[in-house]
Amino acid sequence: MAIGLFILAVIIQLAMVLAIFLLSLSRITGSIVALITVLVTAFISPWSLILGLPIALLCLMLLITPIRQSMITKPVYKALGGAMPSMSDTEREALDAGTSWWEKELFMGAPDWDTFAKYPYPELSEEEQSFIDNEVEVLCAMLDEWQIHHEDKELSPEAWRFIKANGFLGLIIPKEYGGLDFSSYAQSRVMSKIASRSPTAAVTCMVPNSLGPGELLMHYGTDEQKQRWLPGLAKGEEVPCFGLTGPEAGSDAGAIPDTGVVCYGMHEGEQVLGLRMNFSKRWITLAPIATVVGLAFKMHDPEGLLGDLEKTDYGITCALVPASHQGVIIGPRHNPIGSPFMNGTVDGQDVFIPLDYIIGGVENAGRGWRMLMECLGVGRGISLPALSTSASEMSYLSVGAFAKVREQFKISVGKFEGVQDATSRIASNTYMLEAFRHLVTCGLNQGGTPSVMTAMAKYYATETMRSVINDGMDVVGGRAVQMGPRNFLAIPYQAIPVSITVEGANILTRSLMIFGQGAMRCHPYLFDELQLLQSEDKEGALKQFDNLFFKHLGYTFNRGAKAFVAGYVGGSNDAPNFADNFTRPYYKDINRLSAGFALTADMSLGLLAGDLKRKEMLSGRLADIHSHLFICTAILQFYEYGSKSVAERLHAEVALKNSLYTIQEAFLSLFANFPNQFAAKLVSFVTFPSGRIFAPVSDELKRQLGDTFMDDFEANPFRDYLKTMVYYNTEPDDVTGRMEHAYQILLEVEPLWQKFKKAEHKDSFEGLTFEDHVVYASQNGDITEEEAEQLITYNSIRYDSLLTDTFDKHLSKVQERANPHSLENAVHRLTDYAELKSDAQLKNNAQLNQVLNPDNLQQTSENIASIDSMPDNNQPTGDANPDHGYESDGDVKMVNEQDTAKEINAQTDFQDSHPEIEALGSRHRDAASHLNERMSYNHRLNKDKFASTSSEQDNHEQQTETSDPTWKDGLRRDENDNV
């Protein structure tokens, strides 16, 4: 009885602790509840004080301020203060830059699904839709990326004029300055559609709308600067570039060596206070044609000319300088991995500029890094993800078409499971990217500059695009390897490193930025604690730290308790009001993983502190968890607003399972590599008590999605939807239209084509060529004349879509490819194989009958030579030949299986046998032994026939039509040589 009461009391105490954490009670309230519980359980069983007494002492310590501060707060403050590295003003600005949005809810471990459900799904206005349907459509039709990429090495003058005149460089500029003032979603859609036609043109239009001075001027420029520059930028009269990176400053852009020293100098004939600039910028997009240059530099005022003698170093500052300004040198072009968008150098030595060239005026001196972090974030969230989404969507369309049209081993290559392993990834990743784009632009449409979310978008969009393009290259194979104007994958493949590198290299973005900034922007207490740890007023900071630290502890224990409960009973059932039977389990998984992430992030931050900055592999795994939680919610939102068809659900299911599995493996890898293994195993036990809970996508799902990937219209509404996202066409002479044209024609004739190819596979038709088979089938009544023409037409289109380009020996000029299967050439593909074979069989039958006639046995020896010289004989071949020892179903009949009384009897029936003929028959009865010889004979005849003069061909065709009246029922050659 006593033992039972003791166990009951301990269970009550543990349940009390768990309830305090789950309910997130305050320090004071929680301590009082705990003390009361300890007293109650002590009456139940005094032995419960073994656990209750430490709890009571801890509660008293938390309640009594002097004891709490001396025993907990001060030691923790001192330890963390020593562990945290010093933080420069630049780092502090970078961490503090931007705002947070939905990613903060996921970081904090308790996403508010009611808020999520209220997010407005991004849509285009009528004006934006019209611009995409008209101006963007016209621009895309003007662009030929092969011409741009390999011949002109730049956009055509016509394209440039159209871009400038129609506002493509001023999408973000307010209408009051002559811009279009489009939403973030509209900007993304415009860039996607242009990129689907020409990555070069897309980058050209992208930079002024994201990485250019326009964004900085709108947010930070003075009224005078806005009036001076924005109208010209909106109309394309001014072409901007922004100089940030240089030979010594790439990913570490904060280390730029470029300087601007405050001094007096001459400007427009007057002596004014300004900056003596020295800079050397590299890899600057649009620099070779820019009319205005944005510059980032470190500003110094050694003489205190700005009025503050104690402040000599202002830090990174941004200025806007005309490209024609004296001393500014616009250098030669770079060649970024062969992509011919304008990219080059900007240099200047002892260039004097007035202070009012600083963006925002002197008041913004030293604020350049914060400005750049916020504005670069928008570019990361819109432009590069738009280009990546476009490349993936074009791959989905083109590779899907190829996978269905291209046949090997008599079936579409998209039916092979090895190919479906790749195509299912293309399909699910493309679905994920489109969903990701919608949620990110939804956040950007609401204002703010969510730097963490946009860093996620930049990294995972470009990396996913890299995977999609690589898978596409594997599927398309040689058709994608051979360069030329027919190749729809090579140029996007070649440009992959550009997206991976620009606007923050991907390694840096994943390893440092996403979780580094995420911890600061998304954690409810961490940034404020960090500020207090580095405060010079230690006494005042300690009092504030005491309050924040215990709130932080309460937050951590609350997430730990939620993760513990979720680990055993599953995540919270909280979900948006629109969740259905398909999506609800995924919301539950996200709740569980989000709580586990909050606990794991706190463990990592608390135990590693400043060392986490150097543990980039661990930080990268935390970034994967946080980002894929965001991606899962994006997929769920996109699915909710989609068709909810079976095909779309399949896309969403595979994409969700991929992300959940990625999150799980990132958790487990982090635990396995965490320096403090005791803490890692404890958190692992709380979050994954039963080990792995998610499995990789099954082979069956991959097969289903691989099949769906090749469908269109009602069978795959997502593919139909993608056509509205890109520049879609079915022109047979277009780089992307060619493959799509063949695919759409196949969808129209597929039943007929499959039926015909199956019969062809079974050797149902006579002849050497496809055209022979069509004519044979038509003459035999298997297909109509109209169906024959459909087959010839599709085969011609199919063959042309699979052709690769050829060049002269110097690879300088593309050669025109002839199509031997075209309607004009089809008649020349016809052979007289069937006629020759039929004549030979008639001849052989007559000669063989004469030999087998008993009255003519005495002539056998005389006929041996003539029989032996025959090109063919009338003996059946293959399974039908009883002398081959095969059953009718093709199985080999062994000797012992033939050794039956009946068969022996049949074999010894001398009345019906002819020993002499059988003895000689071994030399001619096996048709297979003469197959190669006969095929060579027929091919030789055809070669001789096609080498003859045109008059001989005409005579032969006339004789064929005369001798074979059934020819007119099938395909024929008319007076115009049309088939």
Side-chain angles (χ1 to χ4, degrees), residues 510-561:
R510 175 179 179 266
S511 300
L512 290 176
M513 290 183 61
I514 295 175
F515 185 74
Q517 282 191 311
M520 295 297 123
R521 300 306 312 159
C522 299
H523 198 287
Y525 307 109
L526 187 61
F527 184 75
D528 292 334
E529 289 173 330
L530 190 60
Q531 298 289 82
L532 292 171
L533 287 171
Q534 298 196 347
S535 173
E536 296 181 2
D537 180 11
K538 298 299 181 184
E539 185 175 347
L542 184 63
K543 292 180 181 179
Q544 297 180 59
F545 183 80
D546 179 58
N547 184 45
L548 277 178
F549 177 68
F550 284 99
K551 285 184 177 180
H552 187 161
L553 282 180
Y555 162 84
T556 302
F557 286 130
N558 172 260
R559 273 38 180 186

Side-chain angles (χ1 to χ4, degrees), residues 730-897:
T730 57
E731 295 298 324
D733 294 327
D734 184 79
V735 59
T736 55
R738 179 179 287 108
M739 198 75 245
E740 185 68 12
H741 178 60
Y743 171 76
Q744 293 298 335
I745 297 298
L746 174 58
L747 294 182
E748 294 176 9
V749 304
E750 187 171 13
L752 172 64
W753 177 258
Q754 295 300 333
K755 176 184 176 182
F756 182 82
K757 296 299 287 186
K758 187 177 294 185
E760 191 178 46
H761 180 53
K762 292 179 178 180
D763 295 327
S764 301
F765 311 130
E766 296 287 359
L768 298 177
T769 66
F770 175 84
E771 288 78 6
D772 283 345
H773 296 166
V774 172
V775 170
Y776 184 92
S778 177
Q779 292 175 339
N780 203 40
D782 297 325
I783 59 175
T784 66
E785 185 174 346
E786 181 182 358
E787 289 174 330
E789 187 167 342
Q790 286 180 331
L791 289 170
I792 292 288
T793 300
Y794 169 67
N795 188 56
S796 168
I797 294 170
R798 176 198 65 83
Y799 185 83
D800 182 72
S801 74
L802 300 175
L803 285 176
T804 55
D805 290 289
T806 58
F807 296 79
D808 60 10
K809 65 179 181 179
H810 300 294
L811 298 179
S812 59
K813 186 175 181 180
V814 179
Q815 297 177 336
E816 187 175 346
R817 295 305 310 268
N819 185 354
H821 296 284
S822 67
L823 282 172
E824 295 77 12
N825 295 327
V827 70
H828 302 299
R829 300 283 300 172
L830 296 172
T831 71
D832 57 358
Y833 177 84
E835 181 184 351
L836 290 172
K837 183 175 180 180
S838 177
D839 291 345
Q841 286 178 340
L842 291 173
K843 180 180 178 182
N844 291 343
N845 284 338
Q847 293 179 348
L848 190 59
N849 287 335
Q850 185 179 10
V851 171
L852 294 178
N853 189 335
D855 296 335
N856 297 327
L857 283 179
Q858 66 273 14
Q859 299 177 5
T860 297
S861 58
E862 298 176 8
N863 293 335
I864 287 175
S866 63
I867 294 174
D868 208 22
S869 63
M870 291 179 189
D872 200 356
N873 57 75
N874 198 34
Q875 284 288 84
T877 61
D879 296 349
N881 189 342
D883 294 325
H884 288 178
Y886 289 94
E887 296 283 6
S888 60
D889 61 358
D891 294 333
V892 176
K893 192 171 184 180
M894 307 304 291
V895 173
N896 59 357
E897 293 174 332

